[in-house]
């Protein structure tokens, strides 16, 4: 970004202005050492003679090499692979009845945010399309300090107590002896752990659903997971669950696509987010809350403190209270996306914690992990982590301290410094913890209200559409099929039978398991050594709701085709009118249209105009697009229909339930496909105007296409 562009951006987003203090731009400048000394030769080491050894004196070589040698920091133990963006949060209106949080205050109030999305299990260099939970972490730079909402794209979690987090992560990460497999839960140690952990069954249903393979980061929901607290100015508290609802709707890819995308473009999600922002198609989410009054804490058939449970939206509707827009890519991945440090314990007045044992453990872990990841206790001074609210306290020193604290005293109380920095009264914005009454014994145990492990797993599975249920079965067949230990597969199938008999039966069939053993006590292995296992076994409770349609991805469609990518297959001689009318209409609706041909460079249309080719069949694949259009044009069609890559492109799109538009003589291309054996193919639009295609693509996929699976590509 030039100085001029920077100047133009100034004042729009206070956090971006704050980052400029540390932003460097070398354009038009001389190269220097880190000490500011201008460099004359950055290519050759200082040597003794033309062919002689390098001299120790070469401070420039040593500085350059030393810095390079230390460029890396430890990657995050979980959520290592991620992508982030800047933006803002805008409040829809006054929420002071429930919370005194200023950023949720008056209508239209804007707060800068930085949001990082991530996969959980894979290493930093792994693929975006792993079957995995996605992290959804938002840092609000509020006037009252940093607020971090560190959530996921699924509203529940695998375990109920943070004590088990290291075990869960050791089980899911590549196995310790050979570091295989990368970014995948489909291996023995994960399913070994899960099969002994009935509390994970609800989350397993989510993780095996299409939620784990989103089409785009901007097409997934986000959840705070835990029940948090809102506190208003009168000190009254409310339980609250946080939601992010994508304006673009919730959509996924198929597992076959996900695996192919991982090879074709492991940066698929990261690129999609980057391009959307660069193209001005800013991803947006509405922010919602489910609020429960304190008096209603025990009115549900589950415990609000149990992070393996959600509150069905049919029981407590989501109230939309604001909107987040991501409108600016980072300038530097390492400085911003890699060094950003989130922590569920970063709260502002008006937001507080509950005693959810998973949340309580997280409150320790996040600061602790930054100490080794970011090298010490001053990571809050790293520009991306720096609060835009002023920071004053008596913390001093530590590695890489940036702040120059003035004055003689660094303790409280003091008289030398006039008692400053002073403690702020509540009325001045001083944070006070909610005055919750606590009365109990010091014990290590699990509340018996946490023991219903299957009801919501069942609710989730049974609330999915038929297609989604099929995908869950296929996912489990795949994952458990990769498990080598027979006993683990058997145990898992037995566990599934507690969720739904058909689910267990269908998975068993795929695994060639003839008889399902419904495991008996002890089904749960999480209990103290001296306890009676019987006290810890899952208990079924009476359900207050049989179905929750909102749990289906299909319940939240978006509108239009903004951000979709459409492939146009064309070659020399493509009909100018056919191509242009479609391209114009699709682009106007915000789609990203790419011309794909037999070679890179350019092609000539029927009017002799040169058209830039975005990709050849060699550099792209159907799995990277949402839909495909083949325009007419004698010569173009003649070339394409003889090209096996073009035919495969169309067949594969068909296999993945994508809409296909064929114009005029391009039917010859269609006729060469395997899919054309079906005389009445669903979702293939012959000679229709662009509007019909746009309406179709806005539905995302045509799941009713029964023969899609039969395509042998
Ligand atoms: Fe966590 C990172 C979300 C449970 C310990 N977590 C991390 C990130 C997200 C989440 C989105 C990445 C933040 C970023 O982009 O930098 N974690 C969750 C959710 C959880 C959860 C939604 C359950 C509701 N996490 C959890 C537990 C523990 C941790 C129970 C440990 C007690 N999580 C960590 C961590 C990480 C982390 C090890 C790794 C990097 C980091 O914190 O900064 O401390």
């Amino acid at each position: 970004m030039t100085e001029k562009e920077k100047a133009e951006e100034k004042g729009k987003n206070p956090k971006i202005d704050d980052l400029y203090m540390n932003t460097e731009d070398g354009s038009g400048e001389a190269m220097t050492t880190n000490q500011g000394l201008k460099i004359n030769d950055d290519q050759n080491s200082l040597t003794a003679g033309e062919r002689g050894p390098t001299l120790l004196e070469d401070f420039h070589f040593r500085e350059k090499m030393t810095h390079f040698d230390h460029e890396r920091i430890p990657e995050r133990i979980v959520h290592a692979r991620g992508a982030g963006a800047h933006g803002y949060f805008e409040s829809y209106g006054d929420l002071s009845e429930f919370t005194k949080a200023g950023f949720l205050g008056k209508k239209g109030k804007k707060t800068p945010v930085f949001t990082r999305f991530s996969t959980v299990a894979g290493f930093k260099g792994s693929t975006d399309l792993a079957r995995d939970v996605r992290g959804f972490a938002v840092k609000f730079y509020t006037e009252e300090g940093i607020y971090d909402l560190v959530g996921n794209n699924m509203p529940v979690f695998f375990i109920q107590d943070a004590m088990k987090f290291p075990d869960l992560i050791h089980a899911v990460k590549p196995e310790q002896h050979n570091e295989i497999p990368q970014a995948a839960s489909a291996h023995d140690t994960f399913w070994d752990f899960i099969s002994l952990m009935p509390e994970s069954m609800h989350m397993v249903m989510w993780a095996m659903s299409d939620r784990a393979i989103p089409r785009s980061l901007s097409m997934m929901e986000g959840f705070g997971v835990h029940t948090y607290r809102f506190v208003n100015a009168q000190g009254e508290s409310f339980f609250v669950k946080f939601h992010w609802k994508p304006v673009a709707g919730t959509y996924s890819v198929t597992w076959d696509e996900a695996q192919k995308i991982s090879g074709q473009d492991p940066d698929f999600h990261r690129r999609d987010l980057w391009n959307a922002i660069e193209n001005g198609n800013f991803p947006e989410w509405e922010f919602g809350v489910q609020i429960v009054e304190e008096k209603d804490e025990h009115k549900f058939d589950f415990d609000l403190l149990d992070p393996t449970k959600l509150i069905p939206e049919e029981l407590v509707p989501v109230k939309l209270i604001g909107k987040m827009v991501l409108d600016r890519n980072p300038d530097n991945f390492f400085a911003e996306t890699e060094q950003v440090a989130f922590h569920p314990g970063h709260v502002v007045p008006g937001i507080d914690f509950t005693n959810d044992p998973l949340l309580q453990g997280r409150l320790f872990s996040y600061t602790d992990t930054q100490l080794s990841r970011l090298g010490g206790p001053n990571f809050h001074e790293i520009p991306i982590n720096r609060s835009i609210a002023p920071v004053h306290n008596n913390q001093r020193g530590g590695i890489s301290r940036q702040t120059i604290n003035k004055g003689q005293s660094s303790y409280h109380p003091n008289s030398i410094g006039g008692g400053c920095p002073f403690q702020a009264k509540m009325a001045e914005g001083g944070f006070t913890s909610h005055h919750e009454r606590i009365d109990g014994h010091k014990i290590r145990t699990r509340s018996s209200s946490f023991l219903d492990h299957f009801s919501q797993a069942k609710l989730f599975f049974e609330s999915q559409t038929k297609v989604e249920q099929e995908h869950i079965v296929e996912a489990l067949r795949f994952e458990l099929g990769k498990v080598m230990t027979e006993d683990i597969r058997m145990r898992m199938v037995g566990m599934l039978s507690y969720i739904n008999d058909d689910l267990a039966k269908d998975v068993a069939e795929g695994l060639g398991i003839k008889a399902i053993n419904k495991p008996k006590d002890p089904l749960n292995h999480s209990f103290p050594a001296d306890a009676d296992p019987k006290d810890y076994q899952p208990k079924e409770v009476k359900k207050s709701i049989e179905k929750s349609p909102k749990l289906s991805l299909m319940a939240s469609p978006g509108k239009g085709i903004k951000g979709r990518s459409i492939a146009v297959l064309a070659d020399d001689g493509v009909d100018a009118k056919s191509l242009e009318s479609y391209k114009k209409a699709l682009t106007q609706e915000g789609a990203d249209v790419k011309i794909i041909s037999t070679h890179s460079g350019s092609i000539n249309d029927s009017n002799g105009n040169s058209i830039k080719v975005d990709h050849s069949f060699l550099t792209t694949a159907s799995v990277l697009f949402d839909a495909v259009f083949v325009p007419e044009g004698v010569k173009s069609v003649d070339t394409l229909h003889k090209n096996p890559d073009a035919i495969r492109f169309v067949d594969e799109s068909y296999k993945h339930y994508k809409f296909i538009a064929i114009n005029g003589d391009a039917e010859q291309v269609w006729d060469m496909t395997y899919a054309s054996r079906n005389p009445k193919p669903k979702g293939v639009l012959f000679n229709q105007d662009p509007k019909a295609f746009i309406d179709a693509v806005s539905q995302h996929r045509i799941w009713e296409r029964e023969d899609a699976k039969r395509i042998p590509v």
Side-chain angles (χ1 to χ4, degrees):
M1 187 175 272
T2 62
E3 288 303 319
K4 187 167 166 279
E5 283 167 332
K6 268 191 210 173
E8 279 167 9
E9 219 189 13
K10 207 166 166 25
K12 288 190 186 146
N13 178 325
K15 183 59 198 175
I16 301 296
D17 293 348
D18 172 65
L19 290 177
Y20 280 148
M21 275 193 265
N22 296 82
T23 310
E24 182 270 345
D25 183 355
S27 14
E29 303 288 345
M31 182 186 286
T32 72
T33 64
N34 286 338
Q35 314 310 315
L37 176 71
K38 286 191 181 135
I39 294 167
N40 175 262
D41 182 352
D42 189 46
Q43 317 289 311
N44 300 295
S45 312
L46 186 68
T47 54
E50 226 173 65
R51 300 177 59 249
T54 302
L55 297 175
L56 187 60
E57 180 193 320
D58 191 350
F59 61 85
H60 172 43
F61 168 81
R62 279 188 282 114
E63 183 196 84
K64 184 175 175 180
M65 200 52 69
T66 302
H67 198 279
F68 171 75
D69 290 341
H70 299 271
E71 266 177 18
R72 291 289 178 271
I73 58 171
E75 64 174 38
R76 290 168 175 82
I77 168 73
V78 281
H79 297 266
R81 180 167 181 81
H86 294 276
Y88 62 88
F89 173 78
E90 187 173 343
S91 169
Y92 281 171
D94 189 2
L95 212 66
S96 57
E97 183 189 347
F98 302 111
T99 173
K100 57 185 169 185
F103 76 101
L104 299 173
K106 66 175 190 307
K107 187 168 174 354
K109 184 169 181 56
K110 283 189 176 177
T111 301
V113 297
F114 185 78
T115 299
R116 182 175 180 272
F117 304 102
S118 45
T119 53
V120 178
F123 291 0
K124 190 171 174 289
S126 55
T127 168
D128 284 348
L129 261 292
R131 170 177 293 286
D132 200 352
V133 183
R134 299 296 182 288
F136 194 130
V138 182
K139 188 176 282 295
F140 297 79
Y141 302 92
T142 86
E143 288 162 7
E144 297 167 296
I146 298 271
Y147 170 52
D148 287 341
L149 181 53
V150 199
N152 282 337
N153 74 331
M154 299 178 192
V156 289
F157 203 64
F158 290 101
I159 46 171
Q160 295 172 321
D161 190 318
M163 185 70 129
K164 289 201 288 213
F165 190 70
D167 303 294
L168 167 72
I169 300 306
H170 284 176
V172 71
K173 281 268 180 179
E175 297 187 5
Q176 65 162 352
H177 60 310
N178 58 11
E179 210 173 71
I180 298 174
Q182 181 56 241
S185 52
H187 59 111
D188 286 48
T189 56
F190 178 69
W191 288 103
D192 184 23
F193 179 80
I194 292 296
S195 66
L196 300 169
M197 199 62 55
E199 73 202 50
S200 67
M201 283 310 121
H202 186 197
M203 180 63 166
V204 163
M205 285 296 101
W206 283 81
M208 293 300 113
S209 79
D210 292 345
R211 304 262 175 175
I213 38 175
R215 155 65 182 88
S216 161
L217 300 171
S218 61
M219 296 177 193
M220 56 185 205
E221 291 183 281
F223 303 90
V225 181
H226 313 282
T227 304
Y228 285 89
R229 276 180 190 280
F230 267 164
V231 184
N232 66 17
Q234 293 74 46
E236 291 165 329
S237 156
F238 302 83
F239 294 108
V240 58
K241 293 262 191 198
F242 294 113
H243 295 249
W244 292 108
K245 302 262 180 200
V247 172
T250 50
Y251 297 108
S252 297
V253 297
T254 65
W255 179 231
D256 184 60
E257 269 178 289
Q259 292 177 87
K260 289 173 177 167
I261 293 172
S262 290
Q264 292 285 349
D265 186 6
D267 305 306
F268 186 73
H269 282 153
R270 182 182 280 202
R271 194 187 305 282
D272 174 81
L273 176 67
W274 181 275
N275 287 346
I277 294 176
E278 291 302 298
N279 295 338
N281 284 331
F282 303 137
E284 293 179 4
W285 288 260
E286 291 197 286
F287 190 46
V289 285
Q290 286 175 297
I291 295 176
V292 175
E293 290 193 33
E294 276 206 319
K295 68 173 171 48
D296 293 334
E297 179 176 3
H298 301 293
K299 90 165 189 194
F300 300 97
D301 52 21
F302 53 87
D303 195 327
L304 284 178
L305 302 186
D306 174 356
T308 65
K309 305 296 184 301
L310 51 82
I311 310 180
E313 289 186 37
E314 289 78 4
L315 295 184
V316 180
V318 174
K319 179 182 164 69
L320 297 174
I321 60 168
K323 183 173 86 168
M324 174 171 74
V325 179
L326 298 181
D327 61 358
R328 189 182 193 280
N329 280 314
D331 283 323
N332 184 281
F333 185 90
F334 179 84
E336 299 172 73
T337 312
E338 190 60 13
Q339 291 200 109
V340 67
F342 294 92
H343 176 27
H346 292 160
V347 288
V348 288
I351 299 183
D352 212 323
F353 316 113
T354 59
N355 301 326
D356 170 344
L358 192 74
L359 173 60
Q360 292 283 320
R362 291 180 75 194
L363 295 177
F364 165 74
S365 180
Y366 286 71
T367 305
D368 186 47
T369 200
Q370 314 307 345
L371 299 180
S372 59
R373 195 171 79 79
L374 298 171
N378 287 318
F379 60 88
H380 62 284
E381 293 183 330
I382 296 173
I384 191 70
N385 296 323
R386 187 164 61 206
S387 156
I388 57 168
V391 175
H392 304 287
N393 57 41
N394 292 312
Q395 296 169 30
R396 294 291 182 270
I399 201 145
S400 299
R401 180 73 173 179
Q402 310 289 303
T403 309
I404 303 166
N405 301 98
K406 281 172 64 153
Q408 192 178 353
S409 63
S410 54
Y411 49 87
H412 189 83
N414 69 66
S415 64
I416 289 177
C420 293
F422 58 86
Q423 298 176 165
K425 296 198 169 108
M426 260 165 82
E428 297 163 335
F431 181 85
T432 53
S433 292
H434 176 62
H435 286 203
E436 184 186 357
R437 190 194 154 97
I438 303 282
D439 188 8
H441 296 279
K442 194 197 290 179
I443 42 168
R444 283 187 196 276
T445 189
R446 193 73 50 87
S447 168
S448 60
S449 57
F450 277 37
L451 288 179
D452 170 24
H453 300 321
F454 298 115
S455 296
Q456 287 208 348
K458 208 175 169 57
L459 178 71
F460 179 81
F461 182 74
E462 292 172 5
S463 301
Q464 302 298 297
T465 59
K466 197 164 165 290
V467 171
E468 288 171 304
Q469 288 188 343
E470 270 169 34
H471 290 173
I472 293 174
V473 169
E474 284 162 13
L476 282 160
R477 284 179 174 182
F478 176 91
E479 294 268 320
L480 297 174
K482 292 264 188 177
V483 167
M484 295 301 129
T485 312
E486 194 76 15
D487 280 355
I488 299 175
R489 290 185 189 180
M490 298 286 287
R491 210 161 50 223
M492 257 324 293
V493 170
M495 198 74 101
L496 296 175
S497 68
Y498 280 91
I499 300 173
N500 180 290
D501 281 333
D502 289 338
L503 166 69
K505 223 164 64 226
D506 289 350
V507 174
E509 194 184 302
L511 296 172
I513 293 175
K514 304 262 177 324
I516 298 172
N517 288 330
K518 210 167 180 148
K520 295 270 162 6
D521 298 351
L523 194 58
N524 190 0
H525 296 256
S526 302
F527 46 81
D530 287 323
D532 182 347
K534 285 209 164 28
D535 294 339
Y536 286 80
Q537 298 317 309
K539 289 194 181 96
E540 223 184 309
V541 296
K542 201 172 148 312
K543 278 183 291 172
S544 52
I545 184 169
E546 289 300 324
K547 286 259 169 82
S548 171
K550 289 270 185 191
L551 295 176
S552 162
L553 272 177
M554 317 236 174
S556 315
K559 285 195 200 85
I561 58 168
K562 189 174 130 179
R564 301 298 163 86
S565 51
I566 317 279
V568 177
L569 310 190
D571 213 285
D572 282 324
V574 60
D575 184 78
K577 206 166 141 245
S578 171
L579 174 66
E580 267 320 301
S581 62
Y582 260 69
K583 196 173 166 196
K584 199 167 148 216
L586 292 165
T587 312
Q588 258 172 10
E589 294 295 318
D592 190 15
V593 179
K594 297 281 187 242
I595 307 286
I596 297 157
S597 194
T598 51
H599 57 79
S600 304
S602 60
I603 52 174
N604 286 326
D605 69 15
S606 54
N607 291 342
N609 297 322
S610 172
I611 307 220
K612 184 176 159 282
V613 170
D614 295 295
H615 287 289
S616 74
F617 290 113
L618 191 65
T619 61
T620 197
S622 80
V623 290
L624 305 180
F625 296 89
D626 291 297
V628 53
F629 166 51
V630 193
E632 60 198 279
V634 182
K635 197 159 165 260
S636 170
V637 166
D638 188 55
T639 311
L640 291 176
H641 98 288
K642 291 182 201 141
N643 186 305
D645 292 331
I647 306 306
R648 191 171 58 138
F649 201 106
V650 179
D651 260 333
E652 203 174 34
S653 301
Y654 190 85
K655 182 189 180 77
H656 296 141
Y657 306 89
K658 291 172 185 172
F659 287 94
I660 299 167
I662 305 278
N663 266 16
D665 54 6
E667 206 167 331
Q668 282 180 55
V669 178
W670 170 254
D671 288 344
M672 295 298 286
T673 63
Y674 189 93
S676 66
R677 294 178 186 201
N678 182 348
K680 285 192 181 155
K682 286 188 184 149
V684 183
L685 286 70
F686 295 99
N687 293 315
Q688 300 214 11
D689 62 19
K691 177 152 184 332
F693 188 47
I694 289 167
D695 289 347
V697 176
S698 71
Q699 298 165 46
H700 188 58
R701 299 293 164 92
I702 168 105
W703 296 115
E704 305 82 52
R705 188 184 276 157
E706 297 90 4
D707 60 328
K709 279 204 192 96
R710 273 184 252 138
I711 308 297
V713 287

